[in-house]
Amino acid sequence: METQNVVEIGALRTLRSGFLYLLVAVIVGVVAVLAGLISIIAAFGFMAAVPHGPSAFAGIVGAEFLLLVLSLVAVGIALYAIFGKIRPGMRQLSEVDNGFRISYTGTTLMLVGLLILVLGIIVVVAMFAAAGSSPETMRSAVIGDLTLSGVLLIGGIIGLIGYILTFVVGAFKLHNRYQNSLYMAAGILYVIDILLMFLGFGVIGGILSAVGDILMYIALGDTINKLSTATTTPAQT
């Protein structure tokens, strides 16, 4: 039993670090957007003051480059959080409670969906490159657009199912096992995030999803403390 508790606590700590990395990714993403907007606004202001100055255009290019770099950093951190922390955490937790295997499967589906998207984009880009300026360019463009749309749809659906199994179902299962209402609240926020995404309010949904990550981080910390206390407290005789 003590060994199981050690494995369980280790799994929860891995999960918790994953949600921490997700929050870091959100912060980097927000900084990227703010820095990019401020730089672009400053560049346009300089352009208005000095219409023929070359520095304004360079400033806009620099702002876009900064936005791109920080956005890639945020995406990289988020991918590491999901596949480097949350995925192993769910796998470890499924060794204690087999019910969490479905959430581990969810991370696999998210990975499959991501790979489909990346490979599909590579194939489409290769199609356009091969077409070049030949008369078949228009036909290749139509086929490429249809292929890209199909790939985005398939990869997106698989990724969405994985997201639901990992975050929504995972949060509800954590609530069922550890009876912390913050898990339930986080799961509900993830559901609302998905609904708002389909309704076109992705920004608001993203904010709610980030709040859900915060709740998961707090709840996991509370669960870890309780399990750690139970493990170190000697049994009463």
Side-chain angles (χ1 to χ4, degrees), residues 103-185:
S103 296
Y104 174 67
T105 302
T107 63
T108 302
L109 292 178
M110 292 179 70
L111 181 60
V112 171
L114 177 63
L115 291 176
I116 290 176
L117 291 176
V118 172
L119 292 176
I121 292 174
I122 292 175
V123 170
V124 172
V125 171
M127 289 173 59
F128 280 113
S133 57
S134 66
E136 297 294 323
T137 299
M138 183 63 67
R139 179 185 175 189
S140 298
V142 174
I143 296 176
D145 288 340
L146 292 176
T147 302
L148 182 59
S149 298
V151 166
L152 291 176
L153 179 61
I154 295 173
I157 290 175
I158 294 175
L160 177 61
I161 294 173
Y163 177 86
I164 293 172
L165 295 179
T166 301
F167 289 91
V168 178
V169 176
F172 291 157
K173 283 191 171 295
L174 285 167
H175 172 262
N176 290 337
R177 181 171 178 83
Y178 302 112
Q179 296 302 308
N180 188 321
S181 59
L182 292 182
Y183 292 125
M184 178 66 72

Side-chain angles (χ1 to χ4, degrees), residues 23-228:
L23 293 173
V24 172
V26 170
I27 293 173
V28 173
V30 171
V31 170
V33 173
L34 291 178
L37 288 176
I38 292 173
S39 300
I40 291 174
I41 291 173
F44 274 113
F46 182 83
M47 184 182 296
V50 187
H52 302 291
S55 300
F57 178 75
I60 294 175
V61 173
E64 292 179 346
F65 179 76
L66 176 63
L67 176 62
L68 176 62
V69 170
L70 290 178
S71 297
L72 290 175
V73 171
V75 171
I77 295 174
L79 291 176
Y80 175 72
I82 296 173
F83 301 117
K85 291 295 182 179
I86 294 178
R87 176 176 167 80
M90 288 299 184
R91 178 183 57 78
Q92 296 166 12
L93 202 54
S94 68
E95 297 174 1
V96 178
D97 184 342
N98 193 53
F100 286 97
R101 185 164 296 278
I102 188 173
S103 296
Y104 174 67
T105 302
T107 63
T108 302
L109 292 178
M110 292 179 70
L111 181 60
V112 171
L114 177 63
L115 291 176
I116 290 176
L117 291 176
V118 172
L119 292 176
I121 292 174
I122 292 175
V123 170
V124 172
V125 171
M127 289 173 59
F128 280 113
S133 57
S134 66
E136 297 294 323
T137 299
M138 183 63 67
R139 179 185 175 189
S140 298
V142 174
I143 296 176
D145 288 340
L146 292 176
T147 302
L148 182 59
S149 298
V151 166
L152 291 176
L153 179 61
I154 295 173
I157 290 175
I158 294 175
L160 177 61
I161 294 173
Y163 177 86
I164 293 172
L165 295 179
T166 301
F167 289 91
V168 178
V169 176
F172 291 157
K173 283 191 171 295
L174 285 167
H175 172 262
N176 290 337
R177 181 171 178 83
Y178 302 112
Q179 296 302 308
N180 188 321
S181 59
L182 292 182
Y183 292 125
M184 178 66 72
I188 293 173
L189 288 178
Y190 292 142
V191 172
I192 296 175
D193 170 33
I194 296 172
L195 294 176
L196 289 177
M197 178 185 66
F198 283 110
L199 293 175
F201 299 98
V203 174
I204 299 176
I207 294 174
L208 295 180
S209 178
V211 174
D213 293 340
I214 294 174
L215 295 180
M216 291 291 288
Y217 181 80
I218 296 173
L220 286 166
D222 179 70
T223 302
I224 291 170
N225 290 335
K226 289 179 178 179
L227 290 178
S228 299

